[in-house]
Amino acid sequence: MTIGVTLYSWNGRPALESQDGQVRYIASPGTDWTGDTPLTAVTVATLRAQAITIGRDEFDARFAGAPWNVPDLDGWFQRRDPARPFDSYAKARAWANR
């Protein structure tokens, strides 16, 4: 991925891994991204062992609509949208590589 984020389907849930090894996921439809606290953190090893890597288009197809309605994260992932300027991907890349 050019934006520095690997996208996963983890037991049917959306999950992300940045280049620096941080993991975020959505536990159930309609909830926010999580994984950044000790109680919700998941290791990269766990994610890689249990999840399947999917591309950006497949991620959108599975999780952008109902019931998940995956929100854009500030920098983790920006959905493809012709109305968005290209720099949203650059911002995502910069955020993921902090």
Side-chain angles (χ1 to χ4, degrees):
M1 296 243 6
T2 59
I3 61 171
V5 175
T6 306
L7 306 172
Y8 293 92
S9 176
W10 180 32
N11 298 320
R13 298 179 293 204
L16 310 168
E17 172 196 345
S18 72
Q19 285 182 337
D20 62 0
Q22 293 182 351
V23 173
R24 297 288 186 275
Y25 62 93
I26 296 180
S28 60
T31 59
D32 291 327
W33 292 97
T34 190
D36 58 345
T37 66
L39 294 176
T40 63
V42 174
T43 66
V44 172
T46 297
L47 185 66
R48 289 180 180 172
Q50 297 176 0
I52 58 169
T53 305
I54 57 178
R56 188 168 39 208
D57 292 336
E58 180 65 19
F59 192 86
D60 264 350
R62 290 184 189 206
F63 303 120
W68 290 97
N69 297 318
V70 170
D72 287 338
L73 270 180
D74 295 331
W76 277 87
F77 175 69
Q78 297 285 327
R79 263 188 223 106
R80 282 189 186 178
D81 181 343
R84 280 207 178 138
F86 179 76
D87 73 340
S88 62
Y89 290 104
K91 290 175 186 172
R93 187 170 46 253
W95 194 93
N97 290 315
R98 285 195 285 172

